[in-house]
Amino acid sequence: MSVTDHDTVAALAEVERVATASGIAFVPGIEITAVDGGRDVHVLGYFIAREDASLAAFLERQRADRVRRVAAMADKLADMGKAINRDALLAAYPKGKSLGRPLVARALVKAGHVTDTRQAFDQLIGEGKPAFIPRRGPCPTEVIGIINRAGGIASLAHPGLLKRVDLIPSLVAAGLTAIEAFHSEHDAATTGRYLELANRLGILVSGGSDYHGEKERRRAAFGTIGLPRECFERLKAKVH
């Protein structure tokens, strides 16, 4: 198993301890947010050297931008009459941990502005919604290089949701090892399409539930959506 938190490796030691105690193979991982054309592009990194100094410095910059973004989002929500406790939100996530929109969504639920986190995204903080703040960040090819230099292998996350097939060949040329063909929001046809694309491009595939810990979102996928063993073995064989 691998836990791929956004822009942080803070949980990896605990995940390794729990997985090992349960007899489960542990893979150190991360999900890094890149930006292309103003849109988020998520790149998964597996088998990374979590102590890599360059990776650590890069992730520190990523998390700093997350703080900026969340603070700006909170200010915009306040201007809309949907205030959340901005200072408490920023103070609750110490150095090394990653701040993001799901936490803003939970704060909106707590403040009574929405009934659940899905409504928060759909009406307020999702892309194109009134309180959305664009991210600033590196391009996908830069992120792929950072993962590769940290000894990992890079996989494009949930391509069926990203819907940027045009981007994939250039990412492969930059060192992308895999695409996430197996995902909780890919139906069988979508998975089949990306398996075929990976085969055509000569790359591998990864898979995961993309479960973020919420009570409602993707909960049923946790522990049920993963990667077939033969696909995992091919990924493992590619480790630098």
Side-chain angles (χ1 to χ4, degrees):
M1 71 174 289
S2 186
V3 171
T4 54
D5 283 335
H6 284 269
D7 298 324
T8 180
V9 294
L12 292 190
E14 183 180 1
V15 175
E16 182 174 26
R17 178 181 59 78
V18 173
T20 302
S22 302
I24 299 172
F26 165 74
V27 176
I30 194 165
E31 186 166 1
I32 296 177
T33 307
V35 179
D36 181 83
R39 287 192 62 198
D40 287 4
V41 177
H42 295 163
V43 184
L44 296 154
Y46 292 109
F47 302 99
I48 56 168
R50 67 194 100 166
E51 70 285 352
D52 183 86
S54 295
L55 176 64
F58 168 78
L59 294 178
E60 186 68 33
R61 295 192 295 273
Q62 288 283 94
R63 291 191 295 270
D65 186 66
R66 284 176 168 273
V67 171
R68 171 204 67 83
R69 188 185 188 209
V70 165
M73 215 170 287
D75 290 344
K76 186 169 276 195
L77 286 164
D79 291 343
M80 295 168 57
K82 298 186 183 296
I84 57 175
N85 192 330
R86 177 184 187 273
D87 294 339
L89 188 63
L90 297 178
Y93 285 81
K95 184 178 175 65
K97 293 196 175 180
S98 216
L99 196 60
R101 282 185 297 164
L103 303 172
V104 177
R106 289 173 204 161
L108 283 164
V109 173
K110 187 176 181 179
H113 299 307
V114 293
T115 57
D116 57 36
T117 57
R118 173 61 73 184
Q119 186 184 10
F121 276 89
D122 289 349
Q123 296 184 5
L124 295 170
I125 61 173
E127 190 171 343
K129 303 306 176 184
F132 179 77
I133 299 290
R135 194 186 304 276
R136 301 172 190 159
C139 66
T141 55
E142 182 183 345
V143 169
I144 290 166
I146 288 164
I147 291 169
N148 288 343
R149 287 191 294 276
I153 56 175
S155 177
L156 181 66
H158 43 70
L161 303 185
L162 180 63
K163 295 181 171 61
R164 287 292 309 275
V165 174
D166 61 297
L167 196 60
I168 296 175
S170 65
L171 300 185
V172 173
L176 187 75
T177 298
I179 54 177
E180 191 180 35
F182 298 93
H183 183 270
S184 54
E185 294 189 35
H186 287 183
D187 59 20
T190 303
T191 296
R193 245 189 349 265
Y194 286 107
L195 286 171
E196 190 278 329
L197 178 62
N199 185 59
R200 181 153 44 89
L201 293 174
I203 59 174
L204 304 179
V205 296
S206 68
S209 66
D210 207 3
Y211 178 57
H212 282 55
E214 297 97 335
K215 291 180 180 178
E216 64 280 348
R217 190 166 175 251
R218 298 179 183 143
R219 188 184 182 102
F222 183 58
T224 61
I225 303 293
L227 187 65
R229 179 177 288 275
E230 63 273 17
C231 297
F232 173 74
E233 293 300 336
R234 291 188 198 111
L235 277 182
K236 191 176 177 183
K238 278 281 189 180
V239 177
H240 303 310

